Amino acid sequence: MSKPHDDAVSTQHSPAARGDVRDGKREEYVLTLSCPDKQGIVHAVSSYLFMTGCNIEDSQQFGDRDTGLFFMRVHFSADPGVTVDKLRASFSAVGDSFHMDWQVHPAGERMRVVLMVSRFGHCLNDLLFRSGSGALPVDIAAVVSNHTDFEGLAASYGVPFHHIPVTKGSEESKQEAEARLLRLIEEENVELVVLARYMQVLSDNLCKQLSGRIINIHHSFLPSFKGARPYHQAHARGVKLIGATAHYVTAELDEGPIIEQEVERVGHEATPQQLVAVGRDVECQALARAVKWHSEHRVLLNGHRTVVFA
Amino acid sequence: MSKPHDDAVSTQHSPAARGDVRDGKREEYVLTLSCPDKQGIVHAVSSYLFMTGCNIEDSQQFGDRDTGLFFMRVHFSADPGVTVDKLRASFSAVGDSFHMDWQVHPAGERMRVVLMVSRFGHCLNDLLFRSGSGALPVDIAAVVSNHTDFEGLAASYGVPFHHIPVTKGSEESKQEAEARLLRLIEEENVELVVLARYMQVLSDNLCKQLSGRIINIHHSFLPSFKGARPYHQAHARGVKLIGATAHYVTAELDEGPIIEQEVERVGHEATPQQLVAVGRDVECQALARAVKWHSEHRVLLNGHRTVVFA
Amino acid sequence: MSKPHDDAVSTQHSPAARGDVRDGKREEYVLTLSCPDKQGIVHAVSSYLFMTGCNIEDSQQFGDRDTGLFFMRVHFSADPGVTVDKLRASFSAVGDSFHMDWQVHPAGERMRVVLMVSRFGHCLNDLLFRSGSGALPVDIAAVVSNHTDFEGLAASYGVPFHHIPVTKGSEESKQEAEARLLRLIEEENVELVVLARYMQVLSDNLCKQLSGRIINIHHSFLPSFKGARPYHQAHARGVKLIGATAHYVTAELDEGPIIEQEVERVGHEATPQQLVAVGRDVECQALARAVKWHSEHRVLLNGHRTVVFA
Amino acid sequence: MSKPHDDAVSTQHSPAARGDVRDGKREEYVLTLSCPDKQGIVHAVSSYLFMTGCNIEDSQQFGDRDTGLFFMRVHFSADPGVTVDKLRASFSAVGDSFHMDWQVHPAGERMRVVLMVSRFGHCLNDLLFRSGSGALPVDIAAVVSNHTDFEGLAASYGVPFHHIPVTKGSEESKQEAEARLLRLIEEENVELVVLARYMQVLSDNLCKQLSGRIINIHHSFLPSFKGARPYHQAHARGVKLIGATAHYVTAELDEGPIIEQEVERVGHEATPQQLVAVGRDVECQALARAVKWHSEHRVLLNGHRTVVFA
């Protein structure tokens, strides 16, 4: 499928955002950090940037009085010739002095992701389109599924499809499947795994190995209705709003740090099937925002919660 | 306090809605019913109305395939001289033949309610104003509280205030308090008790006696965060939306049939106190809608759920 | 592309909804009507249904006191052997006596639609997926575009693509294009034309010919920001919410009866491009709902407004 | 009326927020600034704060590429003995060097406001309660009205009431009324005038004199439905969402910079009166947020738009 011509979708203000060096144009980078909160962090970071000739394009910060942690995300432009390696080298002094957990990435760099799906393809379709149209700054390395339903959809976007079946009840089959997934992630330099209505439960081991790198969409407004058939649970409880939750996957099912949630109003006449139908749109919205924010380094972990510099 | 002049708030289209007989004007009534679903109910009801010279102003119905129950609410006008007693007498044949649970009320009749509050008066204030301005078709017979904080607020609306303290840990004190409440309800012909952030837990006995006649506002989006300090629970879980739930009170705390829910978005920077502040508006909204709908006979019980003909 | 196995998406409760006669199963139909409001309409309709052995599955009505019009939508099941032709013949007496504007359709009958698009394919993609997955009860007869960008996308869904270019400034080219469109509509028995971000302005003549059969998505919250570049207009005005409006197309640009609207919150930091990006999701939501409701005969015209029995 | 005991409503984290010097406790301040964007602003401000021993509690900034303006709001704590006068003196060097428009205020300082109302008191009641309960950090110096309907309501909150009537059609009466208002504002050191459904149109002269210091709530979603009877206009257009807009008042009616907007969904069955009723809640919400943000120095003017550091 040819990509639609769509100038409108670039989220970067300047051409330099693409991360290529072009004739002395300024490069743009994103710095994210978290550290114990104390006096002088903003001063140290802004001084560093000022001294290295960088210009702040956008900056957000947050100090959490509960956890005593400080978080910051700075989008800045640098002089031509200032590479990401140089920045990483020169910032480390500041990073060390404040015991920061920090990263620098070229802004506009497209994160490599794998999308996983089982039987329902609405989120998959939504993410494929957003990526293809430039609205989502990710490179979809592959679509992985325990079924073959979406082989054609992936092909229509020129994305490699991997059928990794899982035999119900077979621990061996599950381990084999997870091993295949891990090999794919390694070979394709995948940075993020998106469970786009992928319904197999991942092993504790896999969750730990990919900690902070797996986003799942659970089709309920957590912490309500964890586990199976949440729309049926919601219907039984008679809630007036249903929702979906995009969260990082941890070993505890549906317990991971929440990135984004969305809800939609439903009336008494809605059957569970109709809740499923309404819920699809909500799932797409919540997941798409979460993946976008994560791929733009806007989500930082704050204990069991997230800080989202949207 | 003098009542503001506010023509705009009448929700009844015709003067006859007030339930008085005026010089041959048509009276308006509301019929609500629920029964096992079968063929012919709408036909029987509309035939009854047609034959008795009534005109349907508004009609809503719903058949629940799960429970096999049918629900209907009809707002109709009747010829002068057709009183509510006559209607109740003549409709009983239809009601019996379909084994209906049914009621007829004069439309616009103001339901008599008691508002109960503890320490936080935002919902109380909101309901007092709505009632006073004509936006809420209820007569507030009294404000009851286990504290005296809102005696002045009640007085400013000309509403009797009853301080019914409850000594913590004293079962006897609680029984005494509930007995006083029941006496008040009986003496004042109270039809609805609104727990407007009244924080004492009602006994099973009271819940059963007043079944279907007590509405509570729980400051969370049920079934998430039941019990105490829901905003602190919500903060700990890191949800991105907080909410409130108006529901009928049953013996199981926070488990009763939900009437209305509302949510509001919150960011990572919100402390529990800030969630409390945002939540106040959501609680007011959800509770006000629930009380309005109930007082207009728009809420019907459907097992553990509600049908709301809003 | 193979269709995903998706039991969950059927919005019809019973198998009979597909409109096929199966071994004496009850067929389901949808009756919609509008007429001058007067006493006895509901009685007449419900009597007709009762007498013909039909069972009401769902019924909604509305009497507009301003316009004096009455609207009704009844979803009912009929005895085997009662065909839509028989129903249309037998209901005409009721229809005539109340001067009704009425229609009967088999429930679950898939409406034939043409989707039109220019440069931005998000709505097109969304509708193609919903149709393909069974969430939207329409048969997409063709995709029509003044560009070729989405030829591949249409092909991936097995939908015929028609490139109907329009030369800017050429009245002749426009007339030619509209003639081709009308021929396609006729040949393909198209009942609804969806302008899914199709940006050419249709002639008054075409609007009249297809009156009530063209739905457009305008990328603003009407009546704000009519015409071109509404997101740039919204940005300039500094609104805090942007929206989209799905409406029937009339000769007056962006003035037709509104079917559905949706909004999304935006902050001061959003550039016009970012409003465009956020707006895409809102446009998809509003348009999808409007098309679904229209295809299920849930939208009735009430002067310049719509009645939506959702 | 005795103030309700409500610990929960303080939005200030530390006791020092009240702006009193207490036994060597750190004082808290809010700095707001806007200036032409250039390299080094954040560095200069954070260096200034660091050098003066101040600690940043919360900081937000925004650079608008369209207007080339930079905006910042910093909430910081200072060493005991550092007064607001000292801060204002020492910051001026930074302010001057960047040509800043800047202000420093003690955090938690309650802004002095006048509330103005005509016939509908829902917003007035809402703001009086929020102020009285501590949720809104304002001191209501007076309630002003061209009618007497709300004299009692004001009295119940212990707030002085000024009846300033305006004779329709009399320019002289209007000038007299505005003169009385200006005298009141001066005598009471009023910093903000809130038009809480005050329906008299203010003169250009008054708008200019109080530029940036008058917030109005218009009962529509601007720029839709300016002027009179917006709910009736909305009803006629058949919109599916109605709204309200809180904005700064300028000489052009309903054209001033928007601070906050809110919407609510409405169905086809809603009469104009019902839109008015639904709209009241939306007006209260939008106005309360706008007044809160303004009183906390969170709203900065950006040409015809606002930057809101909520």
Side-chain angles (χ1 to χ4, degrees), chain B residues 126 130 262-264 277-286 289, chain C residues 265, chain D residues 122-123 126-127 130 217 244-246 260-264 278-293:
Chain B
D126 181 72
R130 288 174 193 267
E262 187 56 85
V263 294
E264 186 65 52
V278 169
R280 275 194 296 265
D281 290 346
V282 186
E283 295 163 36
C284 288
Q285 294 279 343
R289 277 181 223 144
Chain C
R265 194 162 275 280
Chain D
H122 48 286
C123 291
D126 182 71
L127 294 171
R130 288 174 193 268
I217 183 70
T245 304
E260 171 65 334
Q261 294 179 293
E262 186 56 86
V263 294
E264 185 65 53
V278 169
R280 277 194 294 266
D281 290 347
V282 185
E283 295 163 34
C284 288
Q285 294 280 341
L287 184 59
R289 278 180 222 146
V291 173
K292 181 176 199 293
W293 293 336

Side-chain angles (χ1 to χ4, degrees), chain B residues 72-87:
Chain B
M72 192 171 189
R73 177 186 188 273
V74 189
H75 173 193
F76 61 93
S77 62
D79 287 332
V82 176
T83 63
V84 67
D85 290 333
K86 284 187 187 176
L87 287 166

Side-chain angles (χ1 to χ4, degrees), chain D residues 55-241:
Chain D
N55 195 28
I56 295 177
E57 304 292 334
D58 172 56
S59 175
Q60 300 188 55
Q61 51 275 329
F62 169 61
D64 187 335
R65 294 181 177 230
D66 274 357
T67 61
L69 291 174
F70 177 82
F71 303 84
M72 194 170 188
R73 178 185 188 274
V74 190
H75 173 192
F76 61 94
S77 61
D79 287 332
V82 176
T83 63
V84 66
D85 290 334
K86 284 185 184 176
L87 286 166
R88 285 173 180 156
S90 58
F91 187 76
S92 54
V94 179
D96 290 346
S97 72
F98 285 94
H99 307 288
M100 290 178 184
D101 196 341
W102 62 275
Q103 297 183 9
V104 176
H105 297 269
E109 177 184 58
R110 295 171 72 84
M111 190 173 280
R112 285 186 63 72
V113 312
V114 154
L115 305 180
M116 299 185 68
V117 66
S118 291
R119 284 290 195 198
F120 302 124
H122 48 286
C123 291
L124 173 69
N125 176 70
D126 182 71
L127 294 171
L128 282 168
F129 184 82
R130 288 174 193 268
S131 170
S133 65
L136 191 57
V138 300
D139 275 339
I140 301 175
V143 170
V144 170
S145 179
N146 50 327
H147 298 285
T148 53
D149 303 40
F150 301 106
E151 183 151 26
L153 179 60
S156 75
Y157 280 90
V159 172
F161 179 85
H162 298 255
H163 176 216
I164 301 183
V166 179
T167 310
K168 187 164 172 168
S170 163
E171 185 57 32
E172 195 180 326
S173 161
K174 177 167 170 167
Q175 284 176 11
E176 164 68 32
E178 293 196 352
R180 282 184 63 183
L181 176 64
L182 282 169
R183 274 198 304 275
L184 175 66
I185 287 171
E186 205 182 303
E187 286 162 10
E188 294 293 332
N189 294 317
V190 168
E191 303 164 81
L192 175 69
V193 175
V194 179
L195 307 182
R197 291 308 302 275
Y198 179 76
M199 305 310 291
Q200 295 296 309
V201 175
L202 305 182
S203 69
D204 286 8
N205 188 49
L206 189 65
C207 295
K208 289 198 177 73
Q209 275 197 258
L210 298 175
S211 178
R213 292 199 286 154
I214 313 178
I215 293 177
N216 179 52
I217 183 70
H218 179 73
H219 42 314
S220 84
F221 182 74
L222 292 175
S224 295
F225 313 131
K226 297 177 208 172
R229 289 168 52 103
Y231 291 122
H232 285 75
Q233 295 184 49
H235 183 267
R237 184 63 185 89
V239 290
K240 301 298 177 178
L241 294 152

